[in-house]
PDB file of all heavy atoms in Angstrom:
ATOM      1  N   ASN A   6     -10.534 140.841 122.152  1.00  0.00           N
ATOM      2  CA  ASN A   6     -10.966 140.500 123.505  1.00  0.00           C
ATOM      3  C   ASN A   6     -10.087 139.560 124.250  1.00  0.00           C
ATOM      4  O   ASN A   6      -9.416 138.763 123.525  1.00  0.00           O
ATOM      5  CB  ASN A   6     -12.443 139.796 123.350  1.00  0.00           C
ATOM      6  CG  ASN A   6     -13.483 140.796 122.810  1.00  0.00           C
ATOM      7  OD1 ASN A   6     -13.805 141.778 123.389  1.00  0.00           O
ATOM      8  ND2 ASN A   6     -14.021 140.306 121.627  1.00  0.00           N
ATOM      9  N   THR A   7      -9.975 139.648 125.492  1.00  0.00           N
ATOM     10  CA  THR A   7      -9.373 138.671 126.274  1.00  0.00           C
ATOM     11  C   THR A   7     -10.456 137.664 126.776  1.00  0.00           C
ATOM     12  O   THR A   7     -11.421 138.101 127.224  1.00  0.00           O
ATOM     13  CB  THR A   7      -8.645 139.229 127.540  1.00  0.00           C
ATOM     14  OG1 THR A   7      -7.554 140.037 127.140  1.00  0.00           O
ATOM     15  CG2 THR A   7      -8.150 138.244 128.423  1.00  0.00           C
ATOM     16  N   VAL A   8     -10.237 136.384 126.566  1.00  0.00           N
ATOM     17  CA  VAL A   8     -11.258 135.413 126.951  1.00  0.00           C
ATOM     18  C   VAL A   8     -10.955 134.732 128.212  1.00  0.00           C
ATOM     19  O   VAL A   8      -9.796 134.271 128.358  1.00  0.00           O
ATOM     20  CB  VAL A   8     -11.348 134.328 125.844  1.00  0.00           C
ATOM     21  CG1 VAL A   8     -12.331 133.223 126.301  1.00  0.00           C
ATOM     22  CG2 VAL A   8     -11.911 134.988 124.550  1.00  0.00           C
ATOM     23  N   VAL A   9     -11.878 134.713 129.185  1.00  0.00           N
ATOM     24  CA  VAL A   9     -11.705 133.892 130.377  1.00  0.00           C
ATOM     25  C   VAL A   9     -12.630 132.726 130.245  1.00  0.00           C
ATOM     26  O   VAL A   9     -13.852 132.883 130.066  1.00  0.00           O
ATOM     27  CB  VAL A   9     -12.169 134.734 131.617  1.00  0.00           C
ATOM     28  CG1 VAL A   9     -12.105 133.858 132.908  1.00  0.00           C
ATOM     29  CG2 VAL A   9     -11.203 135.884 131.874  1.00  0.00           C
ATOM     30  N   HIS A  10     -12.044 131.531 130.078  1.00  0.00           N
ATOM     31  CA  HIS A  10     -12.738 130.230 129.846  1.00  0.00           C
ATOM     32  C   HIS A  10     -12.826 129.398 131.114  1.00  0.00           C
ATOM     33  O   HIS A  10     -11.775 129.057 131.713  1.00  0.00           O
ATOM     34  CB  HIS A  10     -12.057 129.475 128.703  1.00  0.00           C
ATOM     35  CG  HIS A  10     -12.670 128.147 128.453  1.00  0.00           C
ATOM     36  ND1 HIS A  10     -11.826 127.154 127.967  1.00  0.00           N
ATOM     37  CD2 HIS A  10     -13.876 127.554 128.834  1.00  0.00           C
ATOM     38  CE1 HIS A  10     -12.633 126.021 127.875  1.00  0.00           C
ATOM     39  NE2 HIS A  10     -13.784 126.306 128.382  1.00  0.00           N
ATOM     40  N   LEU A  11     -14.085 129.258 131.653  1.00  0.00           N
ATOM     41  CA  LEU A  11     -14.277 128.360 132.819  1.00  0.00           C
ATOM     42  C   LEU A  11     -14.755 127.101 132.344  1.00  0.00           C
ATOM     43  O   LEU A  11     -15.929 126.990 131.772  1.00  0.00           O
ATOM     44  CB  LEU A  11     -15.207 129.047 133.827  1.00  0.00           C
ATOM     45  CG  LEU A  11     -14.775 130.438 134.372  1.00  0.00           C
ATOM     46  CD1 LEU A  11     -15.861 130.940 135.310  1.00  0.00           C
ATOM     47  CD2 LEU A  11     -13.466 130.409 135.017  1.00  0.00           C
ATOM     48  N   SER A  12     -14.074 126.019 132.607  1.00  0.00           N
ATOM     49  CA  SER A  12     -14.501 124.694 132.207  1.00  0.00           C
ATOM     50  C   SER A  12     -15.028 123.962 133.467  1.00  0.00           C
ATOM     51  O   SER A  12     -14.230 123.764 134.463  1.00  0.00           O
ATOM     52  CB  SER A  12     -13.317 123.952 131.615  1.00  0.00           C
ATOM     53  OG  SER A  12     -13.584 122.569 131.319  1.00  0.00           O
ATOM     54  N   ILE A  13     -16.285 123.578 133.536  1.00  0.00           N
ATOM     55  CA  ILE A  13     -16.898 123.055 134.703  1.00  0.00           C
ATOM     56  C   ILE A  13     -16.804 121.565 134.806  1.00  0.00           C
ATOM     57  O   ILE A  13     -17.295 120.884 133.875  1.00  0.00           O
ATOM     58  CB  ILE A  13     -18.382 123.482 134.756  1.00  0.00           C
ATOM     59  CG1 ILE A  13     -18.548 125.015 134.598  1.00  0.00           C
ATOM     60  CG2 ILE A  13     -18.975 123.061 136.178  1.00  0.00           C
ATOM     61  CD1 ILE A  13     -17.777 125.838 135.487  1.00  0.00           C
ATOM     62  N   HIS A  14     -16.254 121.054 135.964  1.00  0.00           N
ATOM     63  CA  HIS A  14     -16.067 119.582 136.094  1.00  0.00           C
ATOM     64  C   HIS A  14     -16.453 119.272 137.554  1.00  0.00           C
ATOM     65  O   HIS A  14     -16.740 120.174 138.423  1.00  0.00           O
ATOM     66  CB  HIS A  14     -14.621 119.120 135.776  1.00  0.00           C
ATOM     67  CG  HIS A  14     -14.265 119.370 134.435  1.00  0.00           C
ATOM     68  ND1 HIS A  14     -14.294 118.337 133.601  1.00  0.00           N
ATOM     69  CD2 HIS A  14     -13.800 120.463 133.751  1.00  0.00           C
ATOM     70  CE1 HIS A  14     -13.899 118.811 132.351  1.00  0.00           C
ATOM     71  NE2 HIS A  14     -13.529 120.125 132.448  1.00  0.00           N
ATOM     72  N   SER A  15     -16.502 118.007 137.933  1.00  0.00           N
ATOM     73  CA  SER A  15     -16.707 117.553 139.213  1.00  0.00           C
ATOM     74  C   SER A  15     -15.762 116.364 139.497  1.00  0.00           C
ATOM     75  O   SER A  15     -15.268 115.581 138.500  1.00  0.00           O
ATOM     76  CB  SER A  15     -18.143 117.254 139.515  1.00  0.00           C
ATOM     77  OG  SER A  15     -18.494 116.016 138.820  1.00  0.00           O
ATOM     78  N   PHE A  16     -15.498 116.084 140.737  1.00  0.00           N
ATOM     79  CA  PHE A  16     -14.636 114.907 141.044  1.00  0.00           C
ATOM     80  C   PHE A  16     -15.267 114.085 142.251  1.00  0.00           C
ATOM     81  O   PHE A  16     -15.994 114.643 143.028  1.00  0.00           O
ATOM     82  CB  PHE A  16     -13.203 115.379 141.533  1.00  0.00           C
ATOM     83  CG  PHE A  16     -13.244 116.337 142.727  1.00  0.00           C
ATOM     84  CD1 PHE A  16     -13.015 115.737 144.055  1.00  0.00           C
ATOM     85  CD2 PHE A  16     -13.354 117.628 142.665  1.00  0.00           C
ATOM     86  CE1 PHE A  16     -12.982 116.514 145.185  1.00  0.00           C
ATOM     87  CE2 PHE A  16     -13.380 118.464 143.777  1.00  0.00           C
ATOM     88  CZ  PHE A  16     -13.072 117.958 145.064  1.00  0.00           C
ATOM     89  N   THR A  17     -14.925 112.765 142.154  1.00  0.00           N
ATOM     90  CA  THR A  17     -15.503 111.911 143.200  1.00  0.00           C
ATOM     91  C   THR A  17     -14.786 112.097 144.558  1.00  0.00           C
ATOM     92  O   THR A  17     -13.592 112.378 144.667  1.00  0.00           O
ATOM     93  CB  THR A  17     -15.235 110.417 142.753  1.00  0.00           C
ATOM     94  OG1 THR A  17     -15.820 109.571 143.778  1.00  0.00           O
ATOM     95  CG2 THR A  17     -13.880 110.041 142.564  1.00  0.00           C
ATOM     96  N   PRO A  18     -15.561 112.252 145.630  1.00  0.00           N
ATOM     97  CA  PRO A  18     -14.983 112.615 146.886  1.00  0.00           C
ATOM     98  C   PRO A  18     -13.977 111.536 147.448  1.00  0.00           C
ATOM     99  O   PRO A  18     -13.107 111.893 148.355  1.00  0.00           O
ATOM    100  CB  PRO A  18     -16.220 112.672 147.856  1.00  0.00           C
ATOM    101  CG  PRO A  18     -17.411 112.060 147.076  1.00  0.00           C
ATOM    102  CD  PRO A  18     -16.978 112.068 145.708  1.00  0.00           C
ATOM    103  N   ILE A  19     -14.043 110.273 147.038  1.00  0.00           N
ATOM    104  CA  ILE A  19     -13.156 109.202 147.479  1.00  0.00           C
ATOM    105  C   ILE A  19     -12.643 108.532 146.250  1.00  0.00           C
ATOM    106  O   ILE A  19     -13.437 108.011 145.484  1.00  0.00           O
ATOM    107  CB  ILE A  19     -13.842 108.290 148.364  1.00  0.00           C
ATOM    108  CG1 ILE A  19     -14.382 108.886 149.687  1.00  0.00           C
ATOM    109  CG2 ILE A  19     -12.769 107.177 148.858  1.00  0.00           C
ATOM    110  CD1 ILE A  19     -15.181 108.052 150.653  1.00  0.00           C
ATOM    111  N   LEU A  20     -11.323 108.427 146.148  1.00  0.00           N
ATOM    112  CA  LEU A  20     -10.716 107.739 144.896  1.00  0.00           C
ATOM    113  C   LEU A  20      -9.597 106.889 145.504  1.00  0.00           C
ATOM    114  O   LEU A  20      -8.724 107.274 146.305  1.00  0.00           O
ATOM    115  CB  LEU A  20     -10.172 108.817 143.943  1.00  0.00           C
ATOM    116  CG  LEU A  20      -9.657 108.093 142.687  1.00  0.00           C
ATOM    117  CD1 LEU A  20     -10.649 107.414 141.830  1.00  0.00           C
ATOM    118  CD2 LEU A  20      -8.823 109.118 141.858  1.00  0.00           C
ATOM    119  N   ASN A  21      -9.803 105.602 145.246  1.00  0.00           N
ATOM    120  CA  ASN A  21      -8.804 104.544 145.744  1.00  0.00           C
ATOM    121  C   ASN A  21      -8.632 104.581 147.186  1.00  0.00           C
ATOM    122  O   ASN A  21      -7.385 104.541 147.705  1.00  0.00           O
ATOM    123  CB  ASN A  21      -7.400 104.731 144.988  1.00  0.00           C
ATOM    124  CG  ASN A  21      -7.514 104.544 143.552  1.00  0.00           C
ATOM    125  OD1 ASN A  21      -8.224 103.792 143.054  1.00  0.00           O
ATOM    126  ND2 ASN A  21      -6.612 105.372 142.753  1.00  0.00           N
ATOM    127  N   ASP A  22      -9.780 104.680 147.834  1.00  0.00           N
ATOM    128  CA  ASP A  22      -9.875 104.750 149.412  1.00  0.00           C
ATOM    129  C   ASP A  22      -9.302 105.971 150.014  1.00  0.00           C
ATOM    130  O   ASP A  22      -9.100 106.080 151.178  1.00  0.00           O
ATOM    131  CB  ASP A  22      -9.091 103.509 149.984  1.00  0.00           C
ATOM    132  CG  ASP A  22      -9.820 102.124 149.546  1.00  0.00           C
ATOM    133  OD1 ASP A  22     -11.049 102.227 149.468  1.00  0.00           O
ATOM    134  OD2 ASP A  22      -9.127 101.209 149.371  1.00  0.00           O
ATOM    135  N   SER A  23      -8.912 106.927 149.144  1.00  0.00           N
ATOM    136  CA  SER A  23      -8.308 108.166 149.689  1.00  0.00           C
ATOM    137  C   SER A  23      -9.416 109.291 149.604  1.00  0.00           C
ATOM    138  O   SER A  23     -10.043 109.472 148.497  1.00  0.00           O
ATOM    139  CB  SER A  23      -7.059 108.647 148.910  1.00  0.00           C
ATOM    140  OG  SER A  23      -6.089 107.749 149.068  1.00  0.00           O
ATOM    141  N   VAL A  24      -9.607 109.988 150.699  1.00  0.00           N
ATOM    142  CA  VAL A  24     -10.679 111.069 150.700  1.00  0.00           C
ATOM    143  C   VAL A  24      -9.993 112.327 150.177  1.00  0.00           C
ATOM    144  O   VAL A  24      -8.900 112.736 150.647  1.00  0.00           O
ATOM    145  CB  VAL A  24     -11.164 111.318 152.162  1.00  0.00           C
ATOM    146  CG1 VAL A  24     -12.089 112.483 152.260  1.00  0.00           C
ATOM    147  CG2 VAL A  24     -11.856 110.115 152.741  1.00  0.00           C
ATOM    148  N   ARG A  25     -10.767 113.026 149.227  1.00  0.00           N
ATOM    149  CA  ARG A  25     -10.297 114.198 148.658  1.00  0.00           C
ATOM    150  C   ARG A  25     -10.682 115.296 149.550  1.00  0.00           C
ATOM    151  O   ARG A  25     -11.944 115.618 149.663  1.00  0.00           O
ATOM    152  CB  ARG A  25     -10.863 114.387 147.245  1.00  0.00           C
ATOM    153  CG  ARG A  25      -9.963 113.957 146.079  1.00  0.00           C
ATOM    154  CD  ARG A  25     -10.124 112.577 145.610  1.00  0.00           C
ATOM    155  NE  ARG A  25      -9.393 112.338 144.416  1.00  0.00           N
ATOM    156  CZ  ARG A  25      -9.935 112.386 143.234  1.00  0.00           C
ATOM    157  NH1 ARG A  25     -11.277 112.645 143.054  1.00  0.00           N
ATOM    158  NH2 ARG A  25      -9.256 112.267 142.052  1.00  0.00           N
ATOM    159  N   ASN A  26      -9.790 116.060 150.091  1.00  0.00           N
ATOM    160  CA  ASN A  26     -10.003 117.061 151.134  1.00  0.00           C
ATOM    161  C   ASN A  26     -10.178 118.444 150.370  1.00  0.00           C
ATOM    162  O   ASN A  26      -9.248 119.357 150.416  1.00  0.00           O
ATOM    163  CB  ASN A  26      -8.955 117.098 152.267  1.00  0.00           C
ATOM    164  CG  ASN A  26      -9.205 118.041 153.278  1.00  0.00           C
ATOM    165  OD1 ASN A  26     -10.409 118.355 153.517  1.00  0.00           O
ATOM    166  ND2 ASN A  26      -8.244 118.549 154.013  1.00  0.00           N
ATOM    167  N   CYS A  27     -11.361 118.672 149.768  1.00  0.00           N
ATOM    168  CA  CYS A  27     -11.518 119.931 149.048  1.00  0.00           C
ATOM    169  C   CYS A  27     -13.014 119.973 148.672  1.00  0.00           C
ATOM    170  O   CYS A  27     -13.673 118.999 148.418  1.00  0.00           O
ATOM    171  CB  CYS A  27     -10.645 119.839 147.749  1.00  0.00           C
ATOM    172  SG  CYS A  27     -10.855 121.309 146.620  1.00  0.00           S
ATOM    173  N   ASP A  28     -13.545 121.265 148.618  1.00  0.00           N
ATOM    174  CA  ASP A  28     -14.903 121.469 148.115  1.00  0.00           C
ATOM    175  C   ASP A  28     -14.945 121.872 146.733  1.00  0.00           C
ATOM    176  O   ASP A  28     -15.723 121.418 145.869  1.00  0.00           O
ATOM    177  CB  ASP A  28     -15.664 122.492 149.029  1.00  0.00           C
ATOM    178  CG  ASP A  28     -15.832 122.075 150.406  1.00  0.00           C
ATOM    179  OD1 ASP A  28     -16.052 120.921 150.685  1.00  0.00           O
ATOM    180  OD2 ASP A  28     -15.805 122.982 151.249  1.00  0.00           O
ATOM    181  N   ILE A  29     -14.056 122.878 146.393  1.00  0.00           N
ATOM    182  CA  ILE A  29     -13.916 123.387 145.071  1.00  0.00           C
ATOM    183  C   ILE A  29     -12.359 123.470 144.674  1.00  0.00           C
ATOM    184  O   ILE A  29     -11.642 124.032 145.434  1.00  0.00           O
ATOM    185  CB  ILE A  29     -14.520 124.832 145.058  1.00  0.00           C
ATOM    186  CG1 ILE A  29     -15.970 124.823 145.432  1.00  0.00           C
ATOM    187  CG2 ILE A  29     -14.390 125.439 143.606  1.00  0.00           C
ATOM    188  CD1 ILE A  29     -16.562 126.252 145.609  1.00  0.00           C
ATOM    189  N   GLY A  30     -12.042 123.003 143.501  1.00  0.00           N
ATOM    190  CA  GLY A  30     -10.675 123.052 143.089  1.00  0.00           C
ATOM    191  C   GLY A  30     -10.644 123.962 141.823  1.00  0.00           C
ATOM    192  O   GLY A  30     -11.414 123.969 140.963  1.00  0.00           O
ATOM    193  N   LEU A  31      -9.601 124.836 141.777  1.00  0.00           N
ATOM    194  CA  LEU A  31      -9.407 125.713 140.666  1.00  0.00           C
ATOM    195  C   LEU A  31      -8.066 125.335 139.969  1.00  0.00           C
ATOM    196  O   LEU A  31      -6.971 125.493 140.612  1.00  0.00           O
ATOM    197  CB  LEU A  31      -9.354 127.210 141.208  1.00  0.00           C
ATOM    198  CG  LEU A  31     -10.552 127.724 142.032  1.00  0.00           C
ATOM    199  CD1 LEU A  31     -10.297 129.160 142.487  1.00  0.00           C
ATOM    200  CD2 LEU A  31     -11.800 127.596 141.220  1.00  0.00           C
ATOM    201  N   LEU A  32      -8.236 124.803 138.830  1.00  0.00           N
ATOM    202  CA  LEU A  32      -7.093 124.253 138.164  1.00  0.00           C
ATOM    203  C   LEU A  32      -6.654 125.342 137.071  1.00  0.00           C
ATOM    204  O   LEU A  32      -7.462 125.806 136.278  1.00  0.00           O
ATOM    205  CB  LEU A  32      -7.419 123.038 137.388  1.00  0.00           C
ATOM    206  CG  LEU A  32      -7.411 121.687 138.231  1.00  0.00           C
ATOM    207  CD1 LEU A  32      -8.240 121.853 139.473  1.00  0.00           C
ATOM    208  CD2 LEU A  32      -7.975 120.496 137.395  1.00  0.00           C
ATOM    209  N   TYR A  33      -5.372 125.680 137.122  1.00  0.00           N
ATOM    210  CA  TYR A  33      -4.777 126.584 136.115  1.00  0.00           C
ATOM    211  C   TYR A  33      -3.311 126.327 135.955  1.00  0.00           C
ATOM    212  O   TYR A  33      -2.671 125.597 136.658  1.00  0.00           O
ATOM    213  CB  TYR A  33      -5.034 128.065 136.668  1.00  0.00           C
ATOM    214  CG  TYR A  33      -4.293 128.412 137.957  1.00  0.00           C
ATOM    215  CD1 TYR A  33      -3.088 129.046 137.903  1.00  0.00           C
ATOM    216  CD2 TYR A  33      -4.826 128.012 139.202  1.00  0.00           C
ATOM    217  CE1 TYR A  33      -2.438 129.390 139.120  1.00  0.00           C
ATOM    218  CE2 TYR A  33      -4.155 128.240 140.331  1.00  0.00           C
ATOM    219  CZ  TYR A  33      -2.949 128.974 140.291  1.00  0.00           C
ATOM    220  OH  TYR A  33      -2.381 129.299 141.481  1.00  0.00           O
ATOM    221  N   ASP A  34      -2.658 127.004 135.001  1.00  0.00           N
ATOM    222  CA  ASP A  34      -1.140 127.004 134.861  1.00  0.00           C
ATOM    223  C   ASP A  34      -0.581 127.999 135.816  1.00  0.00           C
ATOM    224  O   ASP A  34      -0.688 129.210 135.712  1.00  0.00           O
ATOM    225  CB  ASP A  34      -0.908 127.358 133.411  1.00  0.00           C
ATOM    226  CG  ASP A  34       0.581 127.219 133.113  1.00  0.00           C
ATOM    227  OD1 ASP A  34       1.335 127.022 134.065  1.00  0.00           O
ATOM    228  OD2 ASP A  34       0.973 127.269 131.919  1.00  0.00           O
ATOM    229  N   SER A  35       0.103 127.449 136.788  1.00  0.00           N
ATOM    230  CA  SER A  35       0.723 128.361 137.814  1.00  0.00           C
ATOM    231  C   SER A  35       1.769 129.234 137.292  1.00  0.00           C
ATOM    232  O   SER A  35       2.178 130.264 137.918  1.00  0.00           O
ATOM    233  CB  SER A  35       1.363 127.510 138.970  1.00  0.00           C
ATOM    234  OG  SER A  35       2.334 126.539 138.502  1.00  0.00           O
ATOM    235  N   SER A  36       2.351 128.954 136.155  1.00  0.00           N
ATOM    236  CA  SER A  36       3.323 129.827 135.440  1.00  0.00           C
ATOM    237  C   SER A  36       2.762 130.936 134.623  1.00  0.00           C
ATOM    238  O   SER A  36       3.434 131.986 134.178  1.00  0.00           O
ATOM    239  CB  SER A  36       4.276 129.025 134.574  1.00  0.00           C
ATOM    240  OG  SER A  36       3.585 128.541 133.487  1.00  0.00           O
ATOM    241  N   ASN A  37       1.465 130.999 134.540  1.00  0.00           N
ATOM    242  CA  ASN A  37       0.598 131.954 133.818  1.00  0.00           C
ATOM    243  C   ASN A  37       0.113 132.964 134.777  1.00  0.00           C
ATOM    244  O   ASN A  37      -0.822 132.658 135.583  1.00  0.00           O
ATOM    245  CB  ASN A  37      -0.454 131.333 132.999  1.00  0.00           C
ATOM    246  CG  ASN A  37      -1.270 132.258 132.102  1.00  0.00           C
ATOM    247  OD1 ASN A  37      -1.664 133.377 132.576  1.00  0.00           O
ATOM    248  ND2 ASN A  37      -1.359 131.837 130.822  1.00  0.00           N
ATOM    249  N   GLN A  38       0.699 134.074 134.817  1.00  0.00           N
ATOM    250  CA  GLN A  38       0.306 135.175 135.838  1.00  0.00           C
ATOM    251  C   GLN A  38      -1.143 135.591 135.644  1.00  0.00           C
ATOM    252  O   GLN A  38      -1.705 135.920 136.656  1.00  0.00           O
ATOM    253  CB  GLN A  38       1.338 136.300 135.715  1.00  0.00           C
ATOM    254  CG  GLN A  38       2.697 136.039 136.028  1.00  0.00           C
ATOM    255  CD  GLN A  38       2.816 135.392 137.560  1.00  0.00           C
ATOM    256  OE1 GLN A  38       2.280 136.004 138.421  1.00  0.00           O
ATOM    257  NE2 GLN A  38       3.440 134.334 137.491  1.00  0.00           N
ATOM    258  N   GLN A  39      -1.619 135.685 134.436  1.00  0.00           N
ATOM    259  CA  GLN A  39      -3.071 136.103 134.303  1.00  0.00           C
ATOM    260  C   GLN A  39      -3.998 135.007 134.932  1.00  0.00           C
ATOM    261  O   GLN A  39      -4.966 135.309 135.698  1.00  0.00           O
ATOM    262  CB  GLN A  39      -3.403 136.279 132.830  1.00  0.00           C
ATOM    263  CG  GLN A  39      -2.908 137.509 132.238  1.00  0.00           C
ATOM    264  CD  GLN A  39      -3.403 137.785 130.802  1.00  0.00           C
ATOM    265  OE1 GLN A  39      -3.199 136.854 129.959  1.00  0.00           O
ATOM    266  NE2 GLN A  39      -3.985 138.931 130.567  1.00  0.00           N
ATOM    267  N   GLU A  40      -3.732 133.744 134.638  1.00  0.00           N
ATOM    268  CA  GLU A  40      -4.459 132.774 135.195  1.00  0.00           C
ATOM    269  C   GLU A  40      -4.433 132.643 136.678  1.00  0.00           C
ATOM    270  O   GLU A  40      -5.455 132.405 137.484  1.00  0.00           O
ATOM    271  CB  GLU A  40      -4.203 131.316 134.634  1.00  0.00           C
ATOM    272  CG  GLU A  40      -4.565 131.259 133.154  1.00  0.00           C
ATOM    273  CD  GLU A  40      -4.352 129.871 132.572  1.00  0.00           C
ATOM    274  OE1 GLU A  40      -3.893 129.009 133.238  1.00  0.00           O
ATOM    275  OE2 GLU A  40      -4.692 129.704 131.483  1.00  0.00           O
ATOM    276  N   LYS A  41      -3.208 132.765 137.233  1.00  0.00           N
ATOM    277  CA  LYS A  41      -3.019 132.859 138.663  1.00  0.00           C
ATOM    278  C   LYS A  41      -3.756 133.853 139.369  1.00  0.00           C
ATOM    279  O   LYS A  41      -4.330 133.755 140.336  1.00  0.00           O
ATOM    280  CB  LYS A  41      -1.451 133.040 138.924  1.00  0.00           C
ATOM    281  CG  LYS A  41      -1.071 132.963 140.404  1.00  0.00           C
ATOM    282  CD  LYS A  41       0.365 132.992 140.561  1.00  0.00           C
ATOM    283  CE  LYS A  41       0.804 132.829 141.991  1.00  0.00           C
ATOM    284  NZ  LYS A  41       2.332 132.946 142.210  1.00  0.00           N
ATOM    285  N   LYS A  42      -3.754 135.110 138.758  1.00  0.00           N
ATOM    286  CA  LYS A  42      -4.420 136.247 139.253  1.00  0.00           C
ATOM    287  C   LYS A  42      -6.036 135.973 139.202  1.00  0.00           C
ATOM    288  O   LYS A  42      -6.724 136.256 140.310  1.00  0.00           O
ATOM    289  CB  LYS A  42      -4.216 137.508 138.412  1.00  0.00           C
ATOM    290  CG  LYS A  42      -4.902 138.729 138.846  1.00  0.00           C
ATOM    291  CD  LYS A  42      -4.615 139.960 137.973  1.00  0.00           C
ATOM    292  CE  LYS A  42      -5.388 141.234 138.438  1.00  0.00           C
ATOM    293  NZ  LYS A  42      -5.022 142.399 137.493  1.00  0.00           N
ATOM    294  N   ILE A  43      -6.561 135.522 138.184  1.00  0.00           N
ATOM    295  CA  ILE A  43      -8.018 135.204 138.182  1.00  0.00           C
ATOM    296  C   ILE A  43      -8.374 134.146 139.173  1.00  0.00           C
ATOM    297  O   ILE A  43      -9.390 134.190 139.948  1.00  0.00           O
ATOM    298  CB  ILE A  43      -8.459 134.811 136.758  1.00  0.00           C
ATOM    299  CG1 ILE A  43      -8.307 135.959 135.849  1.00  0.00           C
ATOM    300  CG2 ILE A  43      -9.913 134.343 136.797  1.00  0.00           C
ATOM    301  CD1 ILE A  43      -9.264 137.161 136.023  1.00  0.00           C
ATOM    302  N   ALA A  44      -7.606 133.093 139.276  1.00  0.00           N
ATOM    303  CA  ALA A  44      -7.872 132.034 140.285  1.00  0.00           C
ATOM    304  C   ALA A  44      -7.849 132.574 141.671  1.00  0.00           C
ATOM    305  O   ALA A  44      -8.700 132.165 142.554  1.00  0.00           O
ATOM    306  CB  ALA A  44      -6.803 130.984 140.074  1.00  0.00           C
ATOM    307  N   LEU A  45      -6.906 133.402 142.008  1.00  0.00           N
ATOM    308  CA  LEU A  45      -6.817 133.981 143.352  1.00  0.00           C
ATOM    309  C   LEU A  45      -7.970 134.904 143.667  1.00  0.00           C
ATOM    310  O   LEU A  45      -8.557 134.839 144.675  1.00  0.00           O
ATOM    311  CB  LEU A  45      -5.399 134.846 143.401  1.00  0.00           C
ATOM    312  CG  LEU A  45      -5.125 135.380 144.811  1.00  0.00           C
ATOM    313  CD1 LEU A  45      -4.955 134.287 145.883  1.00  0.00           C
ATOM    314  CD2 LEU A  45      -3.839 136.237 144.761  1.00  0.00           C
ATOM    315  N   GLN A  46      -8.401 135.735 142.623  1.00  0.00           N
ATOM    316  CA  GLN A  46      -9.469 136.584 142.856  1.00  0.00           C
ATOM    317  C   GLN A  46     -10.788 135.706 143.030  1.00  0.00           C
ATOM    318  O   GLN A  46     -11.607 136.155 143.882  1.00  0.00           O
ATOM    319  CB  GLN A  46      -9.617 137.462 141.637  1.00  0.00           C
ATOM    320  CG  GLN A  46      -8.626 138.585 141.474  1.00  0.00           C
ATOM    321  CD  GLN A  46      -8.786 139.409 140.247  1.00  0.00           C
ATOM    322  OE1 GLN A  46      -9.441 138.975 139.278  1.00  0.00           O
ATOM    323  NE2 GLN A  46      -8.173 140.517 140.241  1.00  0.00           N
ATOM    324  N   LEU A  47     -10.879 134.741 142.328  1.00  0.00           N
ATOM    325  CA  LEU A  47     -12.112 133.782 142.496  1.00  0.00           C
ATOM    326  C   LEU A  47     -12.176 133.120 143.842  1.00  0.00           C
ATOM    327  O   LEU A  47     -13.150 133.099 144.534  1.00  0.00           O
ATOM    328  CB  LEU A  47     -12.122 132.733 141.369  1.00  0.00           C
ATOM    329  CG  LEU A  47     -13.345 131.781 141.273  1.00  0.00           C
ATOM    330  CD1 LEU A  47     -14.607 132.646 141.142  1.00  0.00           C
ATOM    331  CD2 LEU A  47     -13.268 130.955 139.981  1.00  0.00           C
TER     332      LEU A  47
END
């Protein structure tokens, strides 16, 4: 099988007085084409 592993996290909207401008972040290895494809599809 090929495994797609989604690890669920959350982030504080403000860190060190800086506002994080994002609702949902998708973190992956940009050099991995499979991960890049799944992230883009999502």
